[in-house]
Amino acid sequence: MTWNNNVEITDALVREHGLSADEYALCLKILGRTPTLTELGIFSVMWSEHCSYKSSKKHLKTLPTKAPWVIHGPGENAGVIDIGDNQAIIFKMESHNHPSYIEPYQGAATGVGGILRDVFTMGARPIANMNALRFGSPDHPKTRHLLSGVVEGIGGYGNCVGVPTVGGETNFHASYDGNILVNAMNVGLADQDKIFLSAAAGIGNPVVYVGSKTGRDGIHGATMASAEFTEDTEEKRPTVQVGDPFTEKLLIEACLELMSTDMVVAIQDMGAAGLTSSSVEMASGGGVGFDFNLDMVPQREEGMTPYEMMLSESQERMLIVLKPGREGEAKAIFDKWDLDFAVIGKITDTGNLTLTFKGEVVADIPTQPLADNSPEYDRPWVRTEPKAPLGEVAAPADMKQALLDMIGSPHLCSRHWIWQQYDTQVMADTIQKPGGDAAVVRVHGTDKAIAITTDCTPRYCYADPVEGGKQAVAETWRNLTAVGALPLAITDCLNFGNPERPEIMGQFVGCIEGMREACEVLDYPVVSGNVSLYNETNGTGIHPTPAIGGVGLLQDSSIMVTIAPQAEGEILILIGETKGHLGASLYLEVMEGREEGTPPPVDLALEKKNGDFVRAQIEAGNIAACHDISDGGLYVALAEMAMASNMGMTVAIDGGNIPPHALAFGEDQARYILSVPKNGADTVLEMAQKAGVMAQTVGNTGGDALTLTGTAPISVAELLDVHRGWMPDYMSID
């Protein structure tokens, strides 16, 4: 079959490519002529929501991105922070939502593969994977299938590539019934003097394609990720990429070996929009042009067209600019690792991306206008109407049963069924596994360790986007603090519905506002991230979900604590003020089936004061265990500590005028439970008083039952049985 690049570009074809009339007019202005079909495809993917951030970048620019320890913030493949000793941590989180709903195994697997490439393309060895997953209601007919496929895909890829999956979060809510969220995060370690960037340089330098061959999988993946789902969702299966973790492992080793030489000028992974985005970003970033001969692109399918080659999102591929004359040395490395290596072009001074195929020029586009003139919209938005304050909340008939119902619910039950499928120990540096407040991974060969967490509370963001955005950031800051780490920076994955609806855009703007305020007060900048919009099905959007990935540093990993008390007779100390806030709480949802009220207010100054105090006590060696109080409130946190240690507790709290169930399950912020050796409790309380931090003794560890104010004793064995039961039972149903 003869391929024709000069098909008529009709209005219908332009719309099919996701470009508006105004956007197409801008294409015509940049080119000064009608585009070829290949050029139309290139404009389409580069100006898609997924690649251009056209609805969000106006607001993203308001986020704080700088700090003395930030080496590279947003704009590179991943964020880079200084951890001392000429070492850097490189990390990012990205979404793979739409592909994972259509094909859960490959969607999730290639999400892991893509985020790995974002990190190692900058010269880092990946050391840890995390994820943030959201599924629909457990009662929805697709939820079990999607959960099974996604978890298997994450484990299948991460386990095979040899990078530990050390933690994450998994939540269920009906708003995700038609549009699940799969957000993948990776953290890598690099030497500061061996960080590689993407901006191309050097007229005449060779441009090299390495990795797997190009196929037809993933074509229009970026465009598909930039549109909401409709009834024909299943027909989009061909836009989902197929991953090969064994090839990715080879690619990591080959690229890191190449980077250990002085051959590399610039390097970029082929992610969303494949060869198009990598070449345009490299060329525009360096203010140069690229001249490609597409006949040289390694292909695994017969008769591939330039359009298909440029838009394919086949996995495990990289684009590299080499120093001249080093092609033979570089090829020897990739030959050794049994990977394709092809010189497909060179850098020019034209400023254009010029593509030839079978001797014919099939595209010739100025890269700077293509990248810099991508649309930027100030979409109309309306502030989310504040929810009515919560009225009376009925007390449960039985407080003990209420706690069991909470910890045995899909929201709070053990995720062991999930993370037992992940290799959490490969590389032998994981020193805090899933199940605590944050994962902790040793910096190999040193006393240092990196703490990593992901978090977000979408029900808060839905009720009040500003407070929800604040809380998402503050929660990760608390999680890192609770293991003894100094929080350094965040990456984000901002998942929202259709931005063309003002109420959805209002949710986005509100969450950004809250995030900005939290990052500023907590000195906790945003260094990388991703925006995923159009998470809707037939006009019904997900809850706003600005997932936050936080990274912190322990200078001495030996001070790390977990949520598990270490011995009987330790004193339990509650840090922070309890007011019994039940608005937008899990108690309300689980026990009464209601989603009402305002979320708990986030006092950021108090978060910082309380957190800095807790961290100082951990660093001083005064604390045996620590757990921040979040979903489900105080009693859930205490139950989690008891289950982690397989040890009972006796707790007596005077809540004053607070109703017992509000005291137990209220989700007031800026709170921690400390377990302190008996002979050190007075010291911690005295230091809290000096620091102006509210602290009170609430009980002690010991025995085999959890005895709480207002509840009958619950054996730890019963807690564990209920806590561990729901998910295996759910997943075993035929």
Side-chain angles (χ1 to χ4, degrees), residues 455-534:
D455 227 303
C456 180
T457 310
R459 63 182 186 278
Y460 292 174
C461 298
Y462 183 72
D464 184 334
V466 177
E467 289 299 315
K470 279 190 212 173
Q471 195 274 343
V473 172
E475 171 77 2
T476 65
W477 194 87
R478 281 201 305 274
N479 288 340
L480 298 173
T481 292
V483 300
L486 175 65
L488 291 177
I490 67 170
T491 182
D492 59 47
C493 203
L494 308 177
N495 308 273
F496 291 80
N498 185 342
E500 296 168 49
R501 293 203 283 139
E503 65 274 21
I504 300 297
M505 200 63 209
Q507 292 174 346
F508 182 86
V509 173
C511 285
I512 291 285
E513 183 181 325
M515 289 170 56
R516 177 175 67 247
E517 189 178 339
C519 290
E520 287 171 347
V521 174
L522 299 174
D523 207 9
Y524 192 37
V526 183
V527 297
S528 60
N530 170 241
V531 177
S532 175
L533 302 176
Y534 295 95

Side-chain angles (χ1 to χ4, degrees), residues 76 115 132 152 173 232 319 377 384 398 415 540 586 706 716:
E76 283 300 330
I115 200 65
E152 190 178 352
H173 190 274
D232 66 349
L319 199 61
Y377 295 129
T384 302
D398 182 334
R415 271 46 179 158
T540 300
L586 268 186
L706 184 62
V716 177

Side-chain angles (χ1 to χ4, degrees), residues 289-363:
F290 277 1
D291 191 347
F292 286 171
N293 178 1
L294 296 182
D295 299 322
M296 303 305 295
V297 172
Q299 300 158 53
R300 70 166 186 259
E301 299 188 42
E302 293 291 327
M304 289 196 70
T305 67
Y307 181 97
E308 291 170 330
M309 282 186 265
M310 293 305 294
L311 270 62
S312 167
E313 293 183 9
S314 293
Q315 297 292 286
E316 294 89 39
R317 303 179 301 156
M318 309 285 283
L319 199 61
I320 304 171
V321 175
L322 292 174
K323 290 181 178 177
R326 310 296 293 275
E327 297 92 328
E329 295 170 73
K331 185 175 187 300
I333 292 173
F334 286 87
D335 285 349
K336 181 181 85 171
W337 291 101
D338 199 23
L339 294 167
D340 275 286
F341 177 100
V343 178
I344 63 170
K346 63 182 180 180
I347 295 181
T348 69
D349 61 3
T350 64
N352 282 17
L353 177 63
T354 305
L355 309 176
T356 58
F357 177 66
K358 299 190 183 307
E360 175 191 351
V361 175
V362 294

Side-chain angles (χ1 to χ4, degrees), residues 129-424:
N129 289 325
M130 295 281 283
N131 52 70
L133 312 177
R134 263 90 191 178
F135 297 97
S137 166
D139 298 331
H140 191 274
K142 292 195 74 167
T143 297
R144 190 179 292 103
H145 158 72
L146 292 168
L147 173 60
S148 176
V150 165
V151 170
E152 190 178 352
I154 290 170
Y157 204 100
N159 297 353
C160 292
V161 86
V163 178
T165 301
V166 295
E169 55 172 342
T170 303
N171 298 121
F172 300 89
H173 190 274
S175 76
Y176 307 105
D177 280 351
N179 200 124
I180 64 172
L181 302 184
V182 175
N183 296 171
M185 178 178 173
N186 181 258
V187 177
L189 176 66
D191 292 336
Q192 290 184 29
D193 56 1
K194 283 285 186 179
I195 293 171
F196 292 83
L197 306 180
S198 59
I203 305 305
N205 280 353
V207 182
V208 176
Y209 170 122
V210 301
S212 291
K213 289 179 167 60
T214 294
R216 292 188 170 94
D217 51 324
I219 293 172
H220 284 304
T223 308
M224 179 268 290
S226 306
E228 65 180 77
F229 281 153
T230 56
E231 288 85 354
D232 66 349
T233 295
E234 294 299 326
E235 296 173 15
K236 297 179 179 178
R237 194 176 300 273
T239 62
V240 178
Q241 311 93 323
V242 178
D244 180 352
F246 298 105
T247 299
E248 180 103 338
K249 174 62 174 172
L250 299 176
L251 189 60
I252 291 172
E253 299 304 331
C255 287
L256 291 179
E257 183 175 338
L258 182 72
M259 290 167 168
S260 70
T261 71
D262 65 346
M263 295 186 232
V264 178
V265 176
I267 182 167
Q268 176 84 331
D269 78 297
M270 294 190 216
L275 186 54
T276 288
S277 64
S278 54
S279 56
V280 170
E281 287 166 12
M282 292 179 83
S284 64
V288 297
F290 277 1
D291 191 347
F292 286 171
N293 178 1
L294 296 182
D295 299 322
M296 303 305 295
V297 172
Q299 300 158 53
R300 70 166 186 259
E301 299 188 42
E302 293 291 327
M304 289 196 70
T305 67
Y307 181 97
E308 291 170 330
M309 282 186 265
M310 293 305 294
L311 270 62
S312 167
E313 293 183 9
S314 293
Q315 297 292 286
E316 294 89 39
R317 303 179 301 156
M318 309 285 283
L319 199 61
I320 304 171
V321 175
L322 292 174
K323 290 181 178 177
R326 310 296 293 275
E327 297 92 328
E329 295 170 73
K331 185 175 187 300
I333 292 173
F334 286 87
D335 285 349
K336 181 181 85 171
W337 291 101
D338 199 23
L339 294 167
D340 275 286
F341 177 100
V343 178
I344 63 170
K346 63 182 180 180
I347 295 181
T348 69
D349 61 3
T350 64
N352 282 17
L353 177 63
T354 305
L355 309 176
T356 58
F357 177 66
K358 299 190 183 307
E360 175 191 351
V361 175
V362 294
D364 194 13
I365 305 175
T367 60
Q368 211 77 48
L370 176 59
D372 295 349
N373 290 5
S374 64
E376 179 175 328
Y377 295 129
D378 184 4
R379 294 200 183 277
W381 60 276
V382 294
R383 193 167 291 278
T384 302
E385 282 291 319
K387 298 288 185 284
L390 195 62
E392 191 78 16
V393 178
D398 182 334
M399 285 282 285
K400 172 183 174 179
Q401 190 57 49
L403 178 56
L404 290 171
D405 289 347
M406 292 283 286
I407 65 160
S409 72
H411 308 286
L412 293 171
C413 71
S414 170
R415 271 46 179 158
H416 183 263
W417 181 90
I418 293 174
W419 60 261
Q420 71 179 350
Q421 300 182 55
Y422 304 152
D423 189 334
T424 61

